[in-house]
């Protein structure tokens, strides 16, 4: 945008605002390196609140914190206060200039080397000083970098004291100073993963767990405290998290990468080049597969089955309930190659979770309901909806369990004994597991009507999971309606 503004000659100003959690990502440094080369008139504002989603980690974050709390800066600041304590007007001037003192003591060497004029850190809550600084910087030419210090949750004490808990909140009464307690009827899939991780670590001394700054969301808090030597938070750096796991696997350890479906998209190249090509035993615990809900288009796990099942060597599992999820995590962990277990946000159906871990036969589905004429092949946690819809047609229901490798024998059997197949998945229809079923039939020379039910070809916006399932006809009523319309076309 800054390059375009320069070409237009309209004297427009371009400002990029980035958080201290996100600036550790490689793409930010790639952009700054480029800007330092072409030198457009632009301003980068770093909002540094020492807090992204989880606790900030990494050398860059530690570098800032150490310098700002170091003896040199502290001695200059406190010494200046003592010397000037008898002169109130000057003392007030020093207080207001404290941010600029930080700038002298803590030069932004790294940003300067990238070609930026570094200014700061300054107090982001002193609005008048912030506005003055921005007005002054407006007239500076070339790439500018303003380092602003803020406090997450500033002005609301509960959020200041618990920035992690108040990062993403439900509806609550701010006068009460506490968030409402959620009481799920059954453990979330994230909890199931976290419990499995702790149990597996007790059995496997070589297990190592990696998260790209999503410890709380991925259910890894207990593990991080119980096994700090096996826990690696790499900050918001998904690409590095995957290649780190590859290196660990080469080193004969057993890495587990806990990552959200939408965030794994950022590391697709590393997944292919660094893990799959070398057929390394890395387990991907893919949370938030399918409809996530309130976070909207950017966070829906809509595409993972499509972009994963085309990768050679990779095993892709889709558990239908909590216990199946636990057993699949174990199956993937002991598999001698890359494997992924893909599960949704939130709670399951309340299935009994077996403590004992047993491997699931690779690439084998199971018949859950025997019917006739119509066979519903389900992938994932929409199984209860598929079972309910099947009642209206006396349809067969199969829990396919594996998006890759597919159970080709079971698919052929269903095609030979039924008039129509229906695939159900909480993934984009384009290239999803249902497409794999059709590919299997074509490879076998079997021509059979197949209805693919999944996410439509559009970005799914905000709403609760229940609302969205109803809207795109993935609840039991919607699945039944889609099957009826398809049968009408066949007639």
């Amino acid at each position: 945008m800054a390059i375009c503004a320069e070409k237009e000659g309209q004297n427009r100003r371009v400002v990029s605002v980035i958080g201290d959690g996100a600036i550790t990502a490689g793409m930010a440094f790639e952009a700054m390196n480029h800007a330092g080369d072409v030198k457009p008139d632009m301003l980068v504002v770093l909002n540094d609140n020492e807090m992204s989603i989880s606790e900030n980690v990494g050398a860059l974050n530690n570098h800032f914190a150490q310098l700002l709390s170091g003896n040199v800066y502290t001695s200059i600041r406190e010494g200046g206060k003592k010397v000037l304590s008898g002169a109130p007007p000057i003392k007030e001037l020093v207080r207001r200039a404290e941010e600029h003192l930080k700038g002298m003591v803590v030069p932004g060497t790294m940003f300067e080397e990238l070609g930026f004029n570094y200014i700061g850190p300054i107090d982001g809550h002193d609005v008048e000083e912030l506005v003055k600084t921005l007005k002054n910087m407006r007239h500076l030419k070339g790439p500018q970098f303003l380092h602003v210090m803020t406090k997450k949750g500033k002005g609301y004490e509960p959020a200041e004291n618990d920035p992690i808990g108040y990062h993403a909140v439900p509806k609550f009464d701010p006068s009460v100073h506490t968030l409402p307690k959620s009481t799920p009827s059954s453990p979330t899939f994230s909890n199931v993963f976290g419990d499995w991780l702790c149990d597996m670590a007790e059995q496997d001394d070589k297990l190592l767990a990696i998260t790209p700054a999503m410890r709380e969301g991925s259910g890894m808090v207990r593990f991080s405290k119980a096994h700090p030597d096996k826990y690696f938070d790499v900050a918001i750096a998904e690409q590095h998290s995957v290649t780190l796991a590859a290196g660990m696997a080469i080193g004969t350890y057993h890495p587990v990468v806990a990552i959200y479906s939408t965030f794994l998209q950022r590391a697709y190249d590393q997944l292919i080049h660094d893990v799959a090509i070398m057929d390394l035993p890395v387990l991907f615990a893919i949370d938030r597969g399918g409809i996530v809900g309130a976070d909207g288009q950017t966070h829906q796990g809509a595409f993972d089955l499509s972009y994963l099942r085309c990768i050679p060597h990779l095993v892709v599992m889709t558990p239908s309930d909590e216990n199946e999820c636990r057993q699949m995590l174990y199956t993937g962990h002991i598999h001698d190659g890359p494997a992924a277990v893909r599960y949704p946000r939130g709670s399951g159906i309340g299935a009994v979770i077996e403590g004992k871990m047993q491997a699931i036969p690779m690439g084998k589905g199971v018949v859950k309901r025997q019917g006739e004429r119509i066979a519903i092949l389900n992938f994932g946690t929409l199984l209860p909806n598929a079972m309910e819809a099947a009642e209206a047609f006396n349809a067969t229901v199969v829990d396919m369990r594996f998006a890759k490798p597919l159970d080709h024998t079971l698919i052929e059997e269903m095609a030979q004994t039924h008039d129509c197949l229906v695939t159900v998945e909480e993934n984009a229809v384009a290239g999803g597991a249902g497409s794999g079923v059709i590919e299997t039939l074509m490879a076998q020379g079997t021509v059979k009507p197949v209805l693919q039910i999944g996410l439509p070809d559009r970005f799914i916006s905000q709403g609760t999971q229940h609302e969205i399932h109803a809207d795109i006809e993935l609840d039991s009523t919607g699945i039944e309606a889609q099957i009826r319309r398809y049968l009408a076309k066949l007639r």
Side-chain angles (χ1 to χ4, degrees), residues 143-188:
Q144 307 296 319
F145 193 98
L146 178 61
H147 187 176
V148 177
M149 301 297 295
T150 59
K151 184 176 181 62
K152 194 173 177 76
K154 176 72 173 179
Y156 185 57
E157 186 176 356
E160 290 185 19
N161 296 333
D162 183 16
I164 295 177
Y166 278 82
H167 176 76
V169 297
K171 183 187 295 184
F172 73 100
D173 183 352
S175 65
V176 176
H177 287 197
T178 57
L179 293 175
K181 300 292 184 182
S182 59
T183 54
S185 56
S186 58
T188 66

Coordinates of all heavy atoms in Angstrom, one line a residue, residues 143-188:
P143 N 10.8 4.6 6.0 CA 10.2 3.7 7.0 C 10.4 4.2 8.4 O 11.5 4.4 8.8 CB 10.8 2.4 6.7 CG 11.5 2.5 5.4 CD 11.9 4.0 5.3
Q144 N 9.3 4.3 9.2 CA 9.4 4.7 10.6 C 8.8 3.6 11.5 O 7.9 2.8 11.1 CB 8.5 6.0 10.8 CG 8.9 7.1 9.9 CD 10.3 7.6 10.1 OE1 10.8 7.7 11.2 NE2 11.0 7.9 9.0
F145 N 9.4 3.5 12.7 CA 8.9 2.4 13.6 C 8.7 3.0 15.0 O 9.6 3.6 15.6 CB 10.0 1.3 13.7 CG 9.6 0.1 14.4 CD1 9.2 -1.0 13.6 CD2 9.6 0.0 15.8 CE1 8.8 -2.2 14.3 CE2 9.1 -1.2 16.4 CZ 8.7 -2.3 15.6
L146 N 7.4 3.0 15.4 CA 7.1 3.5 16.7 C 6.7 2.4 17.7 O 5.8 1.6 17.4 CB 5.9 4.4 16.6 CG 5.3 5.0 17.9 CD1 6.4 5.9 18.6 CD2 4.1 5.9 17.6
H147 N 7.5 2.3 18.8 CA 7.3 1.2 19.8 C 6.5 1.8 20.9 O 6.9 2.7 21.6 CB 8.7 0.8 20.3 CG 8.7 -0.3 21.2 ND1 9.9 -0.9 21.7 CD2 7.7 -1.1 21.7 CE1 9.6 -1.9 22.5 NE2 8.3 -2.1 22.5
V148 N 5.3 1.2 21.0 CA 4.3 1.7 22.0 C 4.1 0.7 23.1 O 3.7 -0.5 22.8 CB 2.9 2.1 21.3 CG1 1.9 2.5 22.3 CG2 3.1 3.1 20.3
M149 N 4.2 1.0 24.4 CA 4.0 0.1 25.5 C 2.5 0.3 26.0 O 2.1 1.4 26.3 CB 5.0 0.4 26.6 CG 6.4 0.2 26.2 SD 6.9 -1.4 25.7 CE 6.6 -2.3 27.3
T150 N 1.8 -0.8 26.1 CA 0.5 -0.7 26.7 C 0.3 -1.9 27.6 O 1.1 -2.8 27.7 CB -0.6 -0.8 25.5 OG1 -0.4 -2.1 24.8 CG2 -0.6 0.4 24.6
K151 N -0.8 -1.9 28.3 CA -1.2 -2.9 29.3 C -2.5 -3.6 28.8 O -3.5 -2.9 28.6 CB -1.3 -2.4 30.7 CG -1.6 -3.5 31.7 CD -1.6 -2.9 33.1 CE -1.9 -4.0 34.2 NZ -0.8 -5.0 34.2
K152 N -2.4 -4.9 28.6 CA -3.6 -5.6 28.1 C -4.7 -5.5 29.2 O -4.5 -5.8 30.4 CB -3.3 -7.1 27.8 CG -4.4 -7.8 27.0 CD -3.9 -9.2 26.6 CE -4.9 -10.0 25.9 NZ -5.1 -9.5 24.5
G153 N -5.9 -5.1 28.8 CA -7.0 -5.0 29.8 C -7.0 -3.7 30.5 O -7.7 -3.5 31.5
K154 N -6.2 -2.7 30.1 CA -6.0 -1.4 30.8 C -7.3 -0.8 31.1 O -8.2 -0.6 30.3 CB -5.1 -0.5 30.0 CG -4.9 0.9 30.6 CD -4.0 0.9 31.8 CE -3.7 2.3 32.2 NZ -2.8 2.3 33.4
G155 N -7.5 -0.4 32.4 CA -8.7 0.3 32.8 C -9.8 -0.6 33.4 O -10.7 -0.1 34.0
Y156 N -9.6 -1.9 33.3 CA -10.6 -2.9 33.8 C -9.8 -3.9 34.7 O -9.1 -4.7 34.1 CB -11.4 -3.5 32.7 CG -12.5 -4.4 33.3 CD1 -13.5 -4.0 34.1 CD2 -12.5 -5.8 32.9 CE1 -14.5 -4.8 34.6 CE2 -13.5 -6.6 33.4 CZ -14.5 -6.1 34.2 OH -15.5 -6.9 34.7
E157 N -9.8 -3.7 36.0 CA -8.9 -4.4 36.8 C -8.9 -6.0 36.6 O -7.8 -6.6 36.6 CB -9.2 -4.1 38.3 CG -8.2 -4.7 39.3 CD -8.4 -4.2 40.7 OE1 -9.3 -3.4 40.9 OE2 -7.7 -4.7 41.6
P158 N -10.1 -6.6 36.5 CA -10.0 -8.1 36.4 C -9.3 -8.5 35.1 O -8.6 -9.5 35.1 CB -11.5 -8.4 36.2 CG -12.3 -7.3 37.0 CD -11.5 -6.1 36.7
A159 N -9.4 -7.7 34.0 CA -8.7 -8.0 32.8 C -7.2 -7.7 32.9 O -6.4 -8.5 32.3 CB -9.3 -7.2 31.6
E160 N -6.9 -6.7 33.7 CA -5.4 -6.4 33.9 C -4.8 -7.6 34.7 O -3.7 -7.9 34.4 CB -5.3 -5.1 34.7 CG -5.6 -3.9 33.9 CD -5.3 -2.6 34.7 OE1 -4.5 -2.7 35.6 OE2 -5.9 -1.5 34.3
N161 N -5.5 -8.1 35.7 CA -5.0 -9.2 36.5 C -5.0 -10.5 35.8 O -4.2 -11.4 36.2 CB -5.8 -9.3 37.8 CG -5.6 -8.0 38.6 OD1 -4.6 -7.3 38.5 ND2 -6.6 -7.7 39.5
D162 N -5.9 -10.7 34.9 CA -6.0 -12.0 34.2 C -6.2 -11.8 32.7 O -7.2 -12.0 32.1 CB -7.3 -12.8 34.7 CG -7.4 -14.2 34.1 OD1 -6.4 -14.7 33.5 OD2 -8.5 -14.8 34.2
P163 N -5.1 -11.4 32.0 CA -5.2 -11.1 30.6 C -5.5 -12.3 29.7 O -6.1 -12.2 28.7 CB -3.8 -10.5 30.3 CG -2.9 -11.0 31.3 CD -3.8 -11.1 32.6
I164 N -5.1 -13.5 30.2 CA -5.4 -14.7 29.4 C -6.8 -15.0 29.5 O -7.5 -15.3 28.5 CB -4.5 -15.9 29.9 CG1 -3.0 -15.6 29.7 CG2 -4.9 -17.2 29.3 CD1 -2.1 -16.7 30.3
G165 N -7.4 -15.0 30.7 CA -8.8 -15.4 30.8 C -9.7 -14.4 30.1 O -10.8 -14.8 29.7
Y166 N -9.3 -13.1 30.0 CA -10.2 -12.1 29.5 C -9.8 -11.8 28.0 O -10.3 -10.8 27.4 CB -10.1 -10.8 30.3 CG -11.0 -10.8 31.5 CD1 -10.6 -11.4 32.7 CD2 -12.2 -10.2 31.5 CE1 -11.4 -11.4 33.8 CE2 -13.1 -10.2 32.6 CZ -12.6 -10.9 33.8 OH -13.4 -10.9 34.9
H167 N -9.0 -12.7 27.4 CA -8.7 -12.5 26.0 C -9.9 -12.6 25.1 O -10.1 -11.8 24.2 CB -7.6 -13.4 25.5 CG -7.3 -13.3 24.1 ND1 -6.5 -12.3 23.6 CD2 -7.6 -14.1 23.0 CE1 -6.4 -12.4 22.3 NE2 -7.0 -13.5 21.9
A168 N -10.7 -13.7 25.3 CA -11.9 -13.9 24.5 C -13.0 -14.3 25.5 O -12.9 -15.3 26.1 CB -11.7 -15.0 23.4
V169 N -14.0 -13.4 25.6 CA -14.9 -13.6 26.7 C -16.3 -13.8 26.1 O -16.7 -13.4 25.1 CB -15.0 -12.4 27.6 CG1 -13.6 -12.2 28.3 CG2 -15.3 -11.1 26.8
P170 N -17.2 -14.6 26.9 CA -18.6 -14.7 26.6 C -19.3 -13.4 27.1 O -18.7 -12.5 27.7 CB -19.0 -15.9 27.3 CG -18.1 -15.9 28.6 CD -16.8 -15.4 28.1
K171 N -20.6 -13.4 26.9 CA -21.4 -12.3 27.5 C -21.2 -12.3 29.0 O -21.4 -13.4 29.7 CB -22.8 -12.4 27.1 CG -23.7 -11.3 27.6 CD -25.2 -11.5 27.4 CE -25.5 -11.6 25.9 NZ -26.9 -11.8 25.7
F172 N -20.9 -11.2 29.7 CA -20.7 -11.1 31.1 C -21.1 -9.8 31.7 O -21.2 -8.8 30.9 CB -19.3 -11.5 31.5 CG -18.3 -10.5 31.2 CD1 -17.8 -9.6 32.2 CD2 -17.8 -10.3 29.9 CE1 -16.8 -8.7 31.9 CE2 -16.8 -9.3 29.6 CZ -16.3 -8.5 30.7
D173 N -21.3 -9.7 33.0 CA -21.6 -8.5 33.7 C -20.3 -7.8 34.2 O -19.7 -8.3 35.1 CB -22.5 -8.8 34.8 CG -23.0 -7.5 35.6 OD1 -22.5 -6.4 35.3 OD2 -23.9 -7.6 36.5
P174 N -19.9 -6.7 33.6 CA -18.6 -6.1 34.0 C -18.6 -5.6 35.5 O -17.5 -5.5 36.0 CB -18.4 -4.9 33.0 CG -19.8 -4.6 32.6 CD -20.5 -5.9 32.5
S175 N -19.7 -5.4 36.1 CA -19.8 -5.0 37.5 C -19.5 -6.1 38.4 O -19.2 -5.9 39.6 CB -21.1 -4.3 37.8 OG -22.2 -5.3 37.7
V176 N -19.6 -7.3 38.0 CA -19.4 -8.5 38.9 C -18.0 -8.8 39.0 O -17.5 -9.4 40.0 CB -20.2 -9.7 38.3 CG1 -19.9 -11.0 39.2 CG2 -21.7 -9.4 38.3
H177 N -17.2 -8.5 38.0 CA -15.7 -8.7 38.0 C -15.3 -10.2 38.0 O -14.2 -10.5 38.3 CB -15.1 -8.1 39.3 CG -15.0 -6.6 39.2 ND1 -14.2 -5.8 40.0 CD2 -15.7 -5.7 38.4 CE1 -14.4 -4.5 39.7 NE2 -15.3 -4.4 38.7
T178 N -16.2 -11.0 37.5 CA -15.9 -12.4 37.2 C -16.6 -12.9 36.0 O -17.6 -12.4 35.6 CB -16.3 -13.3 38.4 OG1 -17.7 -13.2 38.6 CG2 -15.5 -13.0 39.7
L179 N -15.9 -13.8 35.3 CA -16.6 -14.3 34.1 C -17.5 -15.5 34.4 O -17.2 -16.2 35.4 CB -15.5 -14.8 33.1 CG -14.6 -13.8 32.5 CD1 -13.5 -14.4 31.7 CD2 -15.4 -12.8 31.6
P180 N -18.6 -15.7 33.7 CA -19.5 -16.8 34.0 C -18.7 -18.1 33.8 O -17.9 -18.3 32.8 CB -20.6 -16.6 33.0 CG -20.0 -15.8 31.9 CD -19.0 -14.9 32.5
K181 N -19.0 -19.1 34.6 CA -18.4 -20.4 34.5 C -19.1 -21.3 33.5 O -20.4 -21.4 33.6 CB -18.4 -21.1 35.9 CG -17.6 -20.3 37.0 CD -16.1 -20.3 36.7 CE -15.3 -19.6 37.8 NZ -13.9 -19.5 37.5
S182 N -18.4 -21.8 32.6 CA -19.1 -22.7 31.7 C -19.1 -24.1 32.3 O -18.1 -24.5 32.9 CB -18.3 -22.7 30.3 OG -17.0 -23.2 30.5
T183 N -20.2 -24.8 32.1 CA -20.3 -26.1 32.7 C -20.7 -27.1 31.6 O -21.8 -27.5 31.5 CB -21.4 -26.1 33.8 OG1 -22.6 -25.6 33.3 CG2 -21.0 -25.3 35.0
P184 N -19.7 -27.5 30.8 CA -20.0 -28.5 29.7 C -20.4 -29.8 30.3 O -19.9 -30.2 31.3 CB -18.7 -28.5 28.9 CG -17.6 -28.1 29.9 CD -18.3 -27.1 30.8
S185 N -21.3 -30.4 29.6 CA -21.8 -31.7 30.1 C -20.8 -32.8 29.9 O -20.8 -33.9 30.5 CB -23.1 -32.1 29.3 OG -22.8 -32.1 27.9
S186 N -19.8 -32.6 29.1 CA -18.7 -33.6 28.8 C -17.4 -32.8 28.5 O -17.5 -31.6 28.2 CB -19.1 -34.5 27.7 OG -19.3 -33.7 26.5
P187 N -16.3 -33.5 28.6 CA -15.0 -32.8 28.4 C -14.9 -32.3 26.9 O -15.5 -32.9 26.0 CB -14.0 -33.9 28.6 CG -14.7 -34.9 29.4 CD -16.1 -34.9 29.0
T188 N -14.3 -31.2 26.7 CA -14.0 -30.7 25.4 C -13.0 -31.6 24.7 O -12.2 -32.3 25.4 CB -13.5 -29.3 25.4 OG1 -12.2 -29.3 26.0 CG2 -14.5 -28.4 26.1

